[in-house]
Amino acid sequence: MRAVGLALAGALVLGLAGAGYAYWRLDDNIKSVDIDSALGDNRPAKAQVTPAASASAGATPLPTGALNILVLGSDSRSGRANQELGGGDSSGARSDTAMVVHIDAGRTRATVVSIPRDTLVTRPSCPLSSGGSTAVSYNTMFNSAYAMGGPVCAVKTVESITDVRMDHYIEIDFSGFAKLVNALGGVTVTTDQDIDDDKSHLHLGAGTHHLNGTRALALARTRYGIGGGSDLGRIGLQQKLVKALLEQMATTSLLTDPTKLYRVADAVTASLTTDTGLDSLGELMKLGQSLKGLTAGHVKTVMMPVVAAPSDHNRVVAREPAASALWDSLR
C-alpha cells in the first residue's frame, strides 16, 4: 500500500507535467468490485475515520483514523503471465494468501494478521454476481470462499469469523507481485533454514538472498520444503517478505527516478483489484500518502492462533479464546 501511494503520487506529478497518457493508463489499469453494495448493511460496524488537520488552507486533509484492509494474493489462472508463474487450471482462482492489515489511528503503526488458507470455517451464504447466493457451508476450508463467490464472499467470510469490518479490499495476482518486486530492483530476505521445494521450483540455502520477482513469488508460495509441508511455515516466509518489501521501498528513490516510478506504478495497477472505494489513482494515492509515516519497524506480523482440527489433522481451526482476543484488539 505504501508502494501504491508513493508510485501514484509521483505518477500524478508526472501527469500534471504533461504525461497525461501515462496517468490515464495507470488509472484505467485498476479493476474493482462493488463489495459494499453486494453485502449491504448486515455487516460489522464501520470504524469512524477522522481527517487530519491540514497543513495549509488549500490542501485536502488526509484521513488518520484506524483502517482494516483485507489483502489477498490470488492464484489467478487468467492470462499467460499468471499461468507461466504457476497458475493451475484455467477454471478459477483461490485466495493463496490472506492478510488482514490493521492500521492504527494515526497511521504510523500496523498489524498484519495472516489467516491460514487451510483453516476450517463456517462459510456464510454469499451473494453471487450472476444472481442468487451460495449455500452456507460448515467445516470448509477458508480459501474456498474466494473460489465460490470471489472477493465479495472472501470479505463476508472474513467478517463473519472476525466480527471486524473490512474497510477496504485489495487483491494482487501472481504476475503483479513478481512485476512489483522486479520494478523495485528485487528484495532481500534472510531464511533460517534450507529450502528445497521442487513444486515451487525454489532451492535456497539458509542465509541472506536478494531475490528477483519470480524467486520472491516462489518463496511466498513454497510450503513443501519447510515446516513439514504445512501452510503455517509458508506464512512465516510471507511475513518476512512483507517487511522486506517495506524496507526495499524505503531505500528506493522512486520520486527521483521517473522510469522506475512508472514501472512500479504500472506493475501495481495492472494486477490490482480493489473495492470501489479505492478504484482510482486519487483514492489509492490518498491512502498511500496517509501511510507515509509507516515504517517496517512499526509493522507487527502475526498469524491467527490456530490448532489442528479434530476432524482432520491436515487442517486447522481457530484457537480460542486467543483468536477472538486478537480480533477484539483490531476493532
Side-chain angles (χ1 to χ4, degrees):
M1 288 177 287
R2 279 196 70 197
V4 169
L6 287 173
L8 300 185
L12 178 59
V13 173
L14 291 176
L16 293 175
Y21 170 76
Y23 184 81
W24 171 84
R25 174 190 165 101
L26 297 176
D27 193 70
D28 192 57
N29 275 345
I30 304 165
K31 301 177 288 293
S32 66
V33 178
D34 193 350
I35 290 171
D36 286 343
S37 293
L39 294 184
D41 297 326
N42 188 22
R43 303 175 65 186
K46 195 169 186 176
Q48 184 69 35
V49 178
T50 55
S54 178
S56 64
T60 302
L62 294 172
T64 61
L67 274 181
N68 291 299
I69 303 173
L70 177 60
V71 178
L72 292 187
S74 79
D75 62 351
S76 171
R77 277 70 172 164
S78 64
R80 181 177 177 181
N82 281 322
Q83 293 172 7
E84 289 178 348
L85 286 167
D89 64 76
S90 59
S91 61
R94 296 161 296 185
S95 52
D96 209 48
T97 302
M99 297 179 177
V100 173
V101 179
H102 173 77
I103 302 165
D104 291 354
R107 305 200 177 181
T108 58
R109 294 181 178 274
T111 302
V112 180
V113 184
S114 295
I115 302 176
R117 70 175 194 170
D118 294 341
T119 305
L120 298 181
V121 301
T122 297
R123 189 183 69 231
S125 174
C126 300
L128 295 172
S129 58
S130 58
S133 59
T134 65
V136 176
S137 181
Y138 300 95
N139 211 38
T140 191
M141 281 178 57
F142 168 75
N143 72 340
S144 71
Y146 184 95
M148 289 295 294
V152 171
C153 199
V155 169
K156 186 167 185 178
T157 301
V158 169
E159 290 184 344
S160 73
I161 66 177
T162 65
D163 197 29
V164 176
R165 172 79 170 231
M166 295 297 109
D167 299 293
H168 290 298
Y169 171 84
I170 294 176
E171 175 190 330
I172 191 165
D173 62 23
F174 281 179
S175 66
F177 180 81
K179 288 176 182 176
L180 172 60
V181 172
N182 284 336
L184 289 170
V187 63
T188 300
V189 179
T190 299
T191 59
D192 301 324
Q193 58 183 293
D194 295 344
I195 298 175
D196 288 295
D197 187 348
D198 290 333
K199 291 197 174 183
S200 67
H201 308 292
L202 184 68
H203 301 278
L204 289 176
T208 300
H209 306 274
H210 190 74
L211 306 177
N212 63 15
T214 300
R215 299 188 85 201
L217 176 63
L219 182 67
R221 299 189 66 217
T222 193
R223 62 186 293 183
Y224 296 100
I226 56 168
S230 77
D231 193 43
L232 308 188
R234 173 166 62 179
I235 283 174
L237 294 175
Q238 292 172 348
Q239 291 175 341
K240 283 179 181 287
L241 275 170
V242 168
K243 289 199 170 186
L245 282 169
L246 273 174
E247 290 165 356
Q248 184 67 20
M249 281 297 305
T251 60
T252 303
S253 301
L254 291 177
L255 298 183
T256 60
D257 187 339
T259 301
K260 180 175 285 189
L261 169 71
Y262 182 80
R263 285 202 303 267
V264 171
D266 193 41
V268 170
T269 57
S271 303
L272 200 67
T273 301
T274 72
D275 64 284
T276 49
L278 290 178
D279 63 353
S280 70
L281 286 185
E283 291 299 330
L284 285 170
M285 184 184 71
K286 186 163 66 174
L287 172 63
Q289 288 178 319
S290 76
L291 303 178
K292 63 185 179 182
L294 181 63
T295 62
H298 289 154
V299 175
K300 180 180 181 181
T301 56
V302 298
M303 185 178 69
M304 182 181 78
V306 294
V307 295
S311 61
D312 184 349
H313 282 206
N314 292 318
R315 304 288 181 255
V316 295
V317 293
R319 177 167 58 85
E320 299 293 1
S324 292
L326 172 62
W327 299 125
D328 285 344
S329 71
L330 305 188
R331 294 192 186 100

